[in-house]
Amino acid sequence: MTSLQVLVTEAWDDYALLDSGDGRKLERYGPYRFIRPEAQALWRPQSAEWKADGEFTGGRDDEGGGRWDLEYHVPERWTLARGPVRFAATNTPFRHLGFFPDMGAQWDWMRVRTVPGARVLNMFGYTGVGSLIAAEAGAQVTHVDASKKAVASARDNAALSGLTDAPVRWLTDDALKFMRREVRRGSKYDGILLDPPKYGRGPDGEIWSLERDLPELMHLARQLLSDNAALLVLTVYAIRMSALAIHALMDEVMAGAGGHIASGDMAIREDGRGLLLPTAIFSRWAAT
């Protein structure tokens, strides 16, 4: 029988979930507070009145759209940190702020399992926080994203973190094409982080569909794991898919590899009440 887990990210110096409810959430990013839509906040908020520096209104998770209403003093970009890694926050048109704070617990888990010299692959690496946490631990990192803008932001974050000269390959490429080539080349990695979107486009117009392409992505990842691999992490957002489903896929992919598989919900703990706000599902394999 499969027992699902809850992976919780707690507040830290530069981020906190302050309150949630009535389909919204109030968060702190450094010195600024923002309100964003949150479909899973079905309960009542703790406070009847929220004070914020900006709010994202309109749009739906499955349709996009919407806009930020920001106070004049909110800068275009400001710097946050998770441990020694520094990165920029910005109010993007996609309602998030340039990184995903609920990944904090995954980053910490990955960090303690990454040894100096390990080869780490970060697919759909976005603005590079996960890549930089691995690089700060001494890993040789390959960071892949289909967006030139995202890869440029990741490089900027490397500079903020003092990791410009770290052994990181910054690549703009289609995920499946890149991984198929790596398999043909016989490339191997000691850790792989997969954070695929629901839908996406490669740099040459390639179409990514999570429900269609996830099985191939996972089997390619399995072929790229070295004999000394330590971890394989998959996170899934914004799609009607159960943690049980991706657990079964991970179990199939890693059959015979030994180790341990854990799957379940990712969540952020509300700073005041301790309530858990679910954000995504995950499945991860660890050698030990």
Side-chain angles (χ1 to χ4, degrees), residues 60-64 95 198-199 240:
R60 292 173 48 182
D61 286 341
D62 56 350
E63 295 179 355
R95 85 173 55 191
K198 182 177 180 180
Y199 299 111
R240 294 188 180 99

Side-chain angles (χ1 to χ4, degrees), residues 37-53:
E38 179 48 70
Q40 297 200 82
L42 304 175
W43 44 84
R44 295 177 180 176
Q46 184 178 30
S47 175
E49 295 185 9
W50 289 353
K51 294 182 179 180
D53 301 288

Side-chain angles (χ1 to χ4, degrees), residues 32-252:
Y32 306 108
R33 295 182 173 204
F34 301 104
I35 299 169
R36 296 193 289 157
E38 179 48 70
Q40 297 200 82
L42 304 175
W43 44 84
R44 295 177 180 176
Q46 184 178 30
S47 175
E49 295 185 9
W50 289 353
K51 294 182 179 180
D53 301 288
E55 181 173 2
F56 191 94
T57 57
R60 292 173 48 182
D61 286 341
D62 56 350
E63 295 179 355
R67 63 185 295 271
W68 282 101
D69 295 309
L70 300 172
E71 297 292 337
Y72 71 92
H73 59 265
V74 176
E76 182 177 352
R77 299 166 71 85
W78 65 102
T79 301
L80 305 178
R82 176 83 179 181
V85 171
R86 294 165 60 82
F87 47 91
T90 184
N91 299 92
T92 76
F94 308 104
R95 85 173 55 191
H96 59 76
L97 282 91
F99 75 104
F100 300 99
D102 60 320
M103 286 294 292
Q106 293 283 21
W107 295 330
D108 295 347
W109 183 87
M110 178 185 69
R111 171 66 175 80
V112 299
R113 287 165 176 79
T114 301
V115 298
R119 298 191 67 208
V120 172
L121 173 63
N122 187 8
M123 296 299 306
F124 311 93
Y126 193 41
T127 56
V129 181
S131 297
L132 295 174
I133 286 173
E136 191 277 330
Q140 302 175 48
V141 181
T142 299
H143 172 104
V144 183
D145 197 279
S147 166
K148 290 182 179 179
K149 184 176 181 180
V151 173
S153 295
R155 285 179 172 272
D156 290 343
N157 286 335
L160 285 174
S161 297
L163 292 169
T164 302
D165 296 328
V168 182
R169 290 195 298 162
W170 304 105
L171 304 178
T172 303
D173 208 338
D174 175 74
L176 292 179
K177 284 184 176 180
F178 171 80
M179 293 179 75
R180 289 168 190 154
R181 288 198 308 272
E182 287 289 88
V183 168
R184 290 195 297 269
R185 293 167 179 155
S187 299
K188 296 293 180 181
Y189 295 90
D190 304 310
I192 300 178
L193 177 60
L194 305 171
D195 190 19
K198 182 177 180 180
Y199 299 111
R201 289 187 178 272
D204 295 320
E206 302 92 341
I207 303 297
W208 164 267
S209 169
L210 183 72
E211 292 176 316
R212 181 194 67 202
D213 297 326
L214 182 59
E216 181 184 2
L217 181 81
M218 292 296 291
H219 283 280
L220 289 169
R222 174 67 179 96
Q223 295 175 72
L224 290 173
L225 287 175
S226 72
D227 291 340
N228 298 316
L231 60 93
L232 170 61
V233 176
L234 168 67
T235 60
V236 176
Y237 291 80
I239 191 169
R240 294 188 180 99
M241 186 177 291
S242 168
L244 290 171
I246 63 172
H247 179 91
L249 177 59
M250 181 71 79
D251 191 50
E252 174 187 275

